[in-house]
Amino acid sequence: MIVVFLGPPGAGKGTQAKLLSQRMGFYHLSTGDILREAVKKQTPLGIKAKEYMDRGELVPDSLIIALIEEYLPEKGGVILDGFPRTIAQAEALESMLNAKGKKLSKVILFDSPDEAIIDRLSGRRVCSSCGALYHVKYNPPKKDEICDFCGGSLVQREDDKEAVVEKRLEVYRKQTEPLIDFYRKKNIIYRLDATKGVEELFSELEGIIKDDG
Ligand code: AP5
């Protein structure tokens, strides 16, 4: 089963994808996480991607499509978190899956107003070592600025600074929102009210994923 998580920055896609992977065994393929790792290691992809990410812009389609071709597993359930983000990426995914005799099962739209997004992104902290996600208000660590799981230090993502968040939202509206119509026409999109709490959202998501009808 291949499921796409679509929605504005900070809507909670990564949080739910991590839960689905822990509780239901899905492979969590996050283009953002792969790119951040490449930036950290200063690989050729990371060096190219960094300039776009720091500005809150999308990394060029050709780089992202090549990345998905490399990382998409052949078997098992997969959550595509943060991909596709443009119509060109969605079309490339379709051809990639067609070529393997597969198709996209469901697209989950994490719907959230801008105020909630800004609140979530400004308070987000990420473990610099294991990538665990926290929020200063909604999911604080037990010890200030220290990861509960591995003891790593918590940091704020560069692109969570206010000016970059505004740009990311603008890019989402212009380049990614058209995908809602694209998938609506294919009748595979499901909307979640992403302002709900983590566990409430998870049980709705689980219901959608398990529903065969
Ligand atoms: P990416 O990392 O994909 O960022 P994003 O889509 O902007 O999503 P975020 O990771 O910011 O948010 P999220 O929805 O996962 O929310 P989270 O669960 O963390 O992309 C980064 C950059 O990489 C892009 O700008 C672009 O440059 C590049 N890129 C990536 N993919 C690309 C592509 N396909 N094409 C081109 N470029 C690409 O939650 C946010 C916070 O809220 C956390 O603190 C969390 O603890 C808290 N929270 C989560 N859920 C809840 C809840 N229900 N209630 C209360 N708090 C909550």
Side-chain angles (χ1 to χ4, degrees), residues 151-196:
S153 54
L154 304 190
V155 293
Q156 185 175 34
R157 262 170 54 176
E158 275 306 310
D159 61 351
D160 280 350
K161 310 260 160 81
E162 204 179 319
V164 187
V165 167
E166 276 171 28
K167 179 68 187 175
R168 286 164 68 200
L169 276 170
E170 184 192 318
V171 165
Y172 173 76
R173 305 278 175 239
K174 273 200 198 135
Q175 293 181 260
T176 307
E177 255 184 6
L179 287 177
I180 299 174
D181 256 0
F182 180 89
Y183 286 124
R184 202 169 269 147
K185 284 182 191 140
K186 297 182 188 290
N187 238 345
I188 53 169
I189 196 160
Y190 298 79
R191 179 190 169 277
L192 282 179
D193 173 0
T195 61
K196 292 181 179 171

Side-chain angles (χ1 to χ4, degrees), residues 8-15 31-32 35-36 53 57-59 64 82-83 85 89 120-121 124 133-135 138 157 159 168 196-198:
K13 305 180 295 296
T15 301
T31 41
L35 292 170
R36 276 184 290 281
M53 295 171 81
E57 291 170 8
L58 294 185
V59 172
I64 298 290
F83 174 88
R85 261 169 147 106
Q89 291 181 16
R120 285 190 186 171
L121 291 182
R124 172 165 58 187
L133 284 170
Y134 296 88
H135 191 282
Y138 306 120
R157 262 170 54 176
D159 61 351
R168 286 164 68 200
K196 292 181 179 171
V198 172

